[in-house]
């Protein structure tokens, strides 16, 4: 039934992705970029550069929900350095604190989803609740090196 | 032979005398204090601009607990580990029994009520640019906060940096109440921005590189520096470093922690940003105007 050639092609095409996907540093950097890209339109609404749009807001919340579920698995032993990582060594020396920071982010995202903001004025405090937890984690577990 | 010995001893005595003279504390006196009715509301604004709670609140304190300035935070540095003291209005271990003059001397001259020099880990090299009336208002605000009688832990200094008297020489060289940047004096917004950044805001404490004895290099004002004890770099926030930022972007960053790419602030800047968020919007605009538009150094 299945065409073996197609199966083979998919398998071959999958290889580069699988290899890239095995690098947790690159994966977590991409996940964080996605997280930031989801913040962009909402930040622009708060900044007054863009009109409020509930659909866009909900789409961003969904990205955060998924990112929050995956992020914690991307810091295995051995991925402390290299690949231009901005991860701070404290992630490995204080894993408990890092996990707590991630849990706070997940809670804030759940709260934001439950709040269902319907205007910029409702969005602002909800957004502040989430970015507070981005800061809370970047405060202790990320270093910018530019 | 004996003459030579005497000359050496004499020279030594002169040197010691000169050291003692140049390192002596030069405090303000009662006459330097203006007749001023303190305004605690303005004091609160200066408190947030000055980031006092970032260092003096108990480590890890959240929201309202940050009003209890019991101290206890350990500040790591190449010169040793400083233990931040209690500055709550506690009578025993806080500063509840300090006169306004004592407080002004600490903030503007880096001198304790007992006449000793403070270490510049207490960023009085910036606070020295504050106006006396703001300092008196700040004390009036601190007096409204809850008292704590937590005892101060001693600093753990690396030899020979624990010798406070020598700081007198350091202060003669580097304690400078003049502003760093020349600005257009007509522009009230820029003037306010310069005051906030170079005075209470002590932005230079992290964003300006230091020389070998820990003094800010004014010729590289705000141009970025390594993180004092830790990983990473503090970014360049000169007009050049912030070329891609508009004044509105800087104000929004200080208010919300989001940069123009909507990345979110981290590291030691988080506490600073959260303090800046408590200021009126016009203060954040003033800071933004200064960072983008202050001219070349006055030094």
């Amino acid at each position: 039934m299945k065409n073996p050639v197609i199966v083979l092609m998919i398998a071959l095409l999958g290889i580069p992705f699988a290899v890239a996907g095995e690098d947790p540093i690159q994966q977590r950097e991409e996940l964080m970029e996605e997280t930031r890209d989801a913040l962009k339109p909402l930040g622009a609404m708060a900044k007054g550069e863009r009109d409020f749009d509930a659909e866009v807001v909900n789409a961003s919340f969904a990205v955060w929900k998924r990112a929050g579920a995956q992020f914690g698995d991307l810091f295995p032993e051995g991925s402390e350095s290299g690949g231009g990582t901005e991860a701070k060594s404290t992630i490995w020396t204080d894993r408990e604190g890092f996990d707590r920071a991630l849990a706070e982010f997940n809670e804030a995202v759940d709260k934001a989803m439950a709040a269902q903001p319907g205007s910029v004025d409702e969005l602002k405090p909800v957004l502040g609740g989430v970015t507070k937890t981005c800061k809370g984690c970047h405060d202790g577990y990320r270093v910018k090196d530019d | 032979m004996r003459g030579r010995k005497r000359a050496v001893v004499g020279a030594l005595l002169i040197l010691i005398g000169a050291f003692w003279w140049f390192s002596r504390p030069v405090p303000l006196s009662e006459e330097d204090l203006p007749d001023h009715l303190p305004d605690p509301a303005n004091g609160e604004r200066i408190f947030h601009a000055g980031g006092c709670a970032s260092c003096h609140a108990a480590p890890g304190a959240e929201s309202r607990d940050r009003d209890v300035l019991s101290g206890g935070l350990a500040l790591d540095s190449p010169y040793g580990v400083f233990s931040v003291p209690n500055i709550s209005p506690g009578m025993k271990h806080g500063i509840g029994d300090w006169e306004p003059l004592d407080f002004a001397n600490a903030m503007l001259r880096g001198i304790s009520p007992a006449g000793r020099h403070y270490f510049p880990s207490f960023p009085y090299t910036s606070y020295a640019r504050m106006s006396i009336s703001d300092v008196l208002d700040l004390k009036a605000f601190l007096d409204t906060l809850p008292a704590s009688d937590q005892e101060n832990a001693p600093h753990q200094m690396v030899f020979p940096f624990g010798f406070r008297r020598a700081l007198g020489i350091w202060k003669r060289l580097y304690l400078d109440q003049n502003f760093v940047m020349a600005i257009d004096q007509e522009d009230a917004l820029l003037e306010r921005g310069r005051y906030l950044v170079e005075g209470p805001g002590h932005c230079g404490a992290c964003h300006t590189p230091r020389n070998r004895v820990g003094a800010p290099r004014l010729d590289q004002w705000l141009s970025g520096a390594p993180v004092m004890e830790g990983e990473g770099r503090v970014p360049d926030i000169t007009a050049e470093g912030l070329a891609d930022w508009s004044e509105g972007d800087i104000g929004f960053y200080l208010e919300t922690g989001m940069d123009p790419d909507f990345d979110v602030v981290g590291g030691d800047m988080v506490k600073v940003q959260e303090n800046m968020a408590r200021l009126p919007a016009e203060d954040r605009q003033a800071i933004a105007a200064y960072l983008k538009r202050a001219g070349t150094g006055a030094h």
Side-chain angles (χ1 to χ4, degrees):
Chain A
M1 211 191 86
K2 273 192 206 137
N3 185 330
V5 177
I6 290 182
V7 172
L8 186 69
M9 270 176 64
I10 289 174
L12 283 176
L13 274 173
I15 287 173
F17 294 108
V19 170
E22 270 165 20
D23 176 8
I25 296 180
Q26 192 180 337
Q27 269 181 306
R28 69 199 187 214
E29 284 173 354
E30 281 169 10
L31 198 59
M32 270 292 129
E33 274 161 34
E34 259 185 82
T35 304
R36 184 262 314 279
D37 290 344
L39 176 60
K40 253 183 196 171
L42 313 204
M45 289 174 201
K47 212 171 176 177
E49 289 172 349
R50 189 184 166 137
D51 289 336
F52 179 82
D53 181 339
E55 239 170 82
V56 173
V57 171
N58 289 332
S60 291
F61 289 172
V63 171
W64 290 341
K65 179 87 188 162
R66 183 170 48 76
Q70 298 172 352
F71 199 52
D73 296 332
L74 302 175
F75 297 86
E77 300 283 337
S79 69
E80 291 88 342
S81 59
T85 185
E86 294 179 349
K88 199 170 173 179
S89 53
T90 44
I91 294 176
W92 292 270
T93 55
D94 172 28
R95 182 66 204 209
E96 218 173 287
F98 179 72
D99 287 342
R100 206 175 321 122
L102 181 56
E104 278 166 16
F105 171 74
N106 288 332
E107 273 165 39
V109 172
D110 286 341
K111 253 193 213 154
M113 290 177 122
Q116 295 189 315
S119 67
V120 185
D121 287 334
E122 285 173 22
L123 174 65
K124 276 186 185 169
V126 167
L127 198 58
V130 175
T131 53
K132 188 177 178 0
T133 65
C134 315
K135 286 190 259 177
C137 188
H138 288 181
D139 185 355
Y141 304 100
R142 175 190 178 193
V143 268
K144 265 195 209 156
D145 222 343
D146 49 11
Chain B
M1 194 54 204
R2 193 186 292 159
R4 193 122 136 248
K5 215 174 196 172
R6 230 184 249 163
V8 169
V9 171
L12 260 175
L13 281 177
I14 289 171
L15 267 176
I16 291 172
F19 171 80
W20 216 246
W21 175 256
F22 281 111
S23 65
R24 79 193 190 285
V26 189
L28 296 163
S29 66
E30 229 23 275
E31 295 90 75
D32 295 313
L33 295 190
D35 218 359
H36 175 73
L37 185 68
D39 170 7
N42 180 54
E44 178 169 14
R45 186 164 164 179
I46 296 299
F47 174 76
H48 294 312
C52 316
S54 303
C55 287
H56 286 279
E62 283 286 335
S63 56
R64 288 231 69 77
D65 292 346
R66 289 175 60 75
D67 287 348
V68 186
L69 305 178
S70 57
L73 182 72
L75 287 178
D76 217 349
S77 85
Y79 317 104
V81 181
F82 298 98
S83 176
V84 179
N86 179 343
I87 60 161
S88 79
M91 283 301 191
K92 197 150 170 233
H93 298 295
I95 62 167
D97 59 344
W98 283 27
E99 295 298 328
L101 181 64
D102 296 328
F103 186 70
N105 268 318
M107 298 295 293
L108 300 172
R109 295 287 166 93
I111 299 172
S112 79
R116 297 169 75 191
H117 296 299
Y118 286 122
F119 293 107
S121 52
F122 167 25
Y124 59 78
T125 47
S126 299
Y127 297 153
R129 301 192 183 97
M130 288 165 65
S131 71
I132 293 197
S133 59
D134 274 352
V135 169
L136 297 177
D137 291 350
L138 176 56
K139 175 70 166 88
F141 173 70
L142 293 179
D143 286 341
T144 68
L145 297 177
S148 150
D149 264 320
Q150 178 168 305
E151 208 172 325
N152 292 329
H155 305 315
Q156 275 153 6
M157 304 304 296
V158 175
F159 182 81
F161 298 108
F163 183 40
R164 284 187 189 260
R165 183 76 189 208
L167 287 166
I169 306 280
W170 188 95
K171 283 159 89 175
R172 273 190 191 269
L173 294 170
Y174 302 115
L175 181 58
D176 184 353
Q177 290 182 282
N178 293 311
F179 286 104
V180 180
M181 299 291 261
I183 54 160
D184 174 3
Q185 298 285 342
E186 310 279 275
D187 192 330
L189 191 69
L190 270 184
E191 188 144 36
R192 176 73 179 163
R194 180 172 72 171
Y195 178 73
L196 289 169
V197 170
E198 298 189 10
H202 69 281
C203 314
C206 298
H207 286 278
T208 301
R210 293 167 188 268
N211 67 15
R212 222 172 300 163
V213 291
R217 302 194 48 173
L218 299 182
D219 58 330
Q220 293 177 40
W221 185 241
L222 300 182
S223 66
V227 170
M228 175 79 86
E229 270 301 90
E231 305 158 54
R233 260 190 86 75
V234 184
D236 178 350
I237 55 166
T238 61
E240 213 172 291
L242 295 175
D244 297 339
W245 297 52
S246 70
E247 287 179 31
D249 288 338
I250 298 172
F252 187 73
Y253 176 80
L254 296 175
E255 184 189 352
T256 66
M258 290 184 250
D259 78 8
D261 294 327
F262 296 98
D263 191 351
V264 178
V265 60
D268 287 343
M269 190 61 199
V270 171
K271 282 182 186 159
V272 178
Q273 181 269 316
E274 287 177 347
N275 289 326
M276 294 295 124
R278 294 190 178 91
L279 294 179
E282 70 249 31
D283 279 350
R284 289 188 294 270
Q285 276 161 15
I287 291 172
Y290 168 89
L291 293 180
K292 289 295 282 186
R293 290 195 267 132
T296 46
H299 278 260

